Amino acid sequence: MKVLVLNCGSSSVKYAIFDDGADKVLADGIVERIGGFKSKLKHRFGGGAILEQERVVPNHEEALKIIIDLLINGTIKNISEISAVGHRIVHGGEKINRPVAIDGKVLKLLNECAELAPLHMPHNILGINVCQRILRHAVQVAVFDTDFHQTIPDYAYIYPIPYEYYEKYKVRKYGFHGISHKYVAKRAAEILNVNIEELKIISCHLGNGASLCAIKNGKSLDTTMGFTPLAGLMMGTRCGDIDPAVVLYLMEKEGTCLDEIARILNERSGVLGISGLSSDFRDLEKAAEKGSDKALLALEMFIYRVAKGIGSFIPVLGGLDVLIFTAGVGENSSTIRSRVCKMLQCLGIELDEHLNLEKRGIEGIISTPASDVKVIVIPTDEEKLIAKETIKVAEEVFTLVN
Ligand code: AMP
């Protein structure tokens, strides 16, 4: 069964087409800066050849058409070969907590969840709408970032505010990046050749968005993101945890409206807000080397919060066997990994600095044999996990239909 996986962001569409039970990638790529004058397209054919283009891509529908044209010119003969489309959906709220085939009822629930993740959900839903037009014959499946965190216990997901707000509005911690945390935890168990049920894992998904997840017996017990993906660690442009009174104070002092305060916390904060330079950690590392105090401060703050967050999950798990680094920063920045691990030496974590330098964007153990905790770099592969979940749901649908 050929499965197309789509991850529709605000200005980008990431995609991959799989075959053979999602074990074979036929092609993948990304269309970025959709809506701008110079959108960027990067397509990788199954054989490894890469096509890079700059062209005008006015909207997501056009991006999808370009992707399908590319697939037809070299990967598949006809779009009817695509049996299912797996959509990465950021928020399923409390009502949907497993991968589902998308019908009118599911779409209505997704629209209800949209206000819970306003930066992501409208684009996720747009992707579904476009596919329902262009790939009408295929089963559309929603796979949720919140799904993996359904095992977090109530004492960890309820906020200490009047309980009626949980009852009335379902205000609680949901957690995100679940697809990534689940994938890397499973992969860590495979690499170590140990049953996942026997491992206490902390997964550090450090990208433009960043979160930590405490995993025991293969289940998420806690995570740093919350009601929305704004909570927890400091991120590229998001503030993470701050005293909530700061929001009230700023609104009063600056006369800031709700929309503006949401923009400040989501888009103008994090390492970008502190450095005033960039949300990209590569830029910050370069600027810090050249002596930028603000870039240095932003990096110090980020590292401090990651290490502190890891420490806070030790009692949740009752110890730690495996620490995983994944996503753009986690996979590539040996400096950040090294500095986080130095702060955690009291836990018996010891990095092999040579291995740490070597593992940039590639999988491997980076701790010394003597380290009490195995530290592993694992490039995340959310698309593969989405494809596998999509196949399961599509097969159920096909069984019902036949
Ligand atoms: P993601 O959200 O997982 O795609 O991660 C994107 C982020 O990864 C970018 O904003 C960069 O800051 C970061 N990144 C990518 N490559 C590197 C690198 N070699 N060193 C440091 N950070 C990197």
Side-chain angles (χ1 to χ4, degrees):
M1 182 191 302
K2 292 192 179 73
V3 179
L4 177 65
V5 171
L6 289 179
N7 182 352
C8 289
S10 52
S11 62
S12 69
V13 177
K14 227 171 146 189
Y15 61 94
I17 181 163
F18 293 86
D19 203 355
D20 290 347
D23 284 328
K24 186 170 172 193
V25 184
L26 299 179
D28 61 4
I30 185 164
V31 186
E32 290 177 288
R33 299 190 201 156
I34 296 171
F37 286 113
K38 273 192 183 166
S39 306
K40 277 175 75 177
L41 166 78
K42 188 170 179 183
H43 180 82
R44 190 169 52 170
F45 294 93
I50 289 180
L51 170 78
E52 286 188 81
Q53 278 184 353
E54 273 190 355
R55 55 194 290 180
V56 180
V57 185
N59 51 45
H60 286 67
E61 177 138 9
E62 208 49 46
L64 260 264
K65 284 183 180 155
I66 292 168
I67 292 166
I68 286 165
D69 277 349
L70 278 166
L71 295 179
I72 289 174
N73 285 314
T75 306
I76 52 172
K77 290 197 182 76
N78 192 296
I79 55 168
S80 63
E81 285 179 45
I82 299 172
S83 307
V85 184
H87 297 267
R88 179 197 178 185
I89 307 293
V90 165
H91 215 309
E94 269 202 332
K95 292 202 178 122
I96 324 182
N97 48 29
R98 61 187 170 79
V100 283
I102 302 167
D103 57 13
K105 202 170 136 207
V106 170
L107 209 49
K108 186 168 171 282
L109 287 173
L110 294 183
N111 276 299
E112 284 168 19
C113 293
E115 63 181 12
L116 300 177
L119 281 188
H120 303 87
M121 286 299 280
H123 309 289
N124 295 169
I125 294 170
L126 192 69
I128 296 172
N129 290 335
V130 173
C131 281
Q132 284 180 328
R133 282 197 295 276
I134 309 183
L135 293 162
R136 217 176 266 248
H137 64 280
V139 179
Q140 311 285 330
V141 177
V143 182
F144 296 90
D145 256 337
T146 42
D147 178 359
F148 185 53
H149 301 301
Q150 295 294 322
T151 44
I152 295 177
D154 55 2
Y155 54 79
Y157 74 65
I158 300 280
Y159 288 125
I161 56 175
Y163 193 78
E164 64 183 276
Y165 298 124
Y166 168 60
E167 292 177 310
K168 262 207 251 179
Y169 306 118
K170 298 293 168 209
V171 172
R172 50 162 282 186
K173 175 186 285 215
Y174 289 99
F176 302 89
H177 292 144
I179 300 166
S180 175
H181 290 305
K182 184 175 174 178
Y183 173 81
V184 295
K186 193 166 162 277
R187 190 70 205 116
E190 285 165 5
I191 294 168
L192 297 171
N193 201 16
V194 177
N195 189 337
I196 196 164
E197 308 264 323
E198 291 166 21
L199 292 175
K200 295 167 188 157
I201 301 172
I202 295 178
S203 155
C204 310
H205 179 111
L206 309 178
N208 204 17
S211 72
L212 307 177
C213 184
I215 303 159
K216 194 173 180 179
N217 302 325
K219 295 188 170 65
S220 167
L221 290 191
D222 205 348
T223 188
T224 51
M225 280 181 171
F227 178 58
T228 72
L230 182 58
L233 299 176
M234 171 186 190
M235 304 177 217
T237 62
R238 286 172 250 169
C239 59
D241 289 345
I242 56 170
D243 179 345
V246 170
V247 177
L248 310 176
Y249 186 76
L250 285 183
M251 287 178 84
E252 193 193 336
K253 282 281 172 197
E254 299 253 319
T256 316
C257 68
L258 274 178
D259 279 353
E260 183 53 21
I261 201 89
R263 245 193 311 279
I264 292 169
L265 303 177
N266 277 292
E267 296 168 28
R268 291 179 46 206
S269 296
V271 291
L272 170 69
I274 297 301
S275 68
L277 290 172
S278 173
S279 62
D280 191 310
F281 284 75
R282 286 164 291 201
D283 297 338
L284 296 180
E285 286 183 356
K286 273 188 212 132
E289 268 170 35
K290 285 188 187 149
S292 160
D293 290 348
K294 295 275 178 57
L296 201 61
L297 176 64
L299 290 171
E300 298 278 355
M301 288 171 66
F302 181 78
I303 290 159
Y304 173 77
R305 280 162 172 73
V306 173
K308 194 170 79 160
I310 292 168
S312 76
F313 281 163
I314 301 297
V316 173
L317 294 171
L320 182 62
D321 300 314
V322 185
L323 182 65
I324 304 170
F325 285 99
T326 191
V329 180
E331 289 164 27
N332 293 293
S333 176
S334 46
T335 314
I336 289 178
R337 291 191 304 241
S338 169
R339 294 194 49 202
V340 167
C341 288
K342 277 219 173 77
M343 283 188 73
L344 298 169
Q345 272 174 345
C346 56
L347 300 179
I349 292 180
E350 196 179 280
L351 272 202
D352 178 324
E353 288 300 346
H354 180 69
L355 286 177
N356 181 38
L357 271 177
E358 236 176 42
K359 301 282 182 263
R360 287 171 179 257
I362 45 172
E363 187 176 279
I365 297 174
I366 57 169
S367 47
T368 64
S371 176
D372 290 340
V373 176
K374 294 268 182 254
V375 186
I376 317 183
V377 176
I378 305 180
T380 193
D381 196 345
E382 290 159 303
E383 285 73 24
K384 186 171 184 165
L385 191 77
I386 295 170
K388 290 210 178 259
E389 303 281 13
T390 300
I391 291 169
K392 280 191 229 156
V393 175
E395 279 173 350
E396 279 169 27
V397 172
F398 294 140
T399 313
L400 284 177
V401 171
N402 296 324

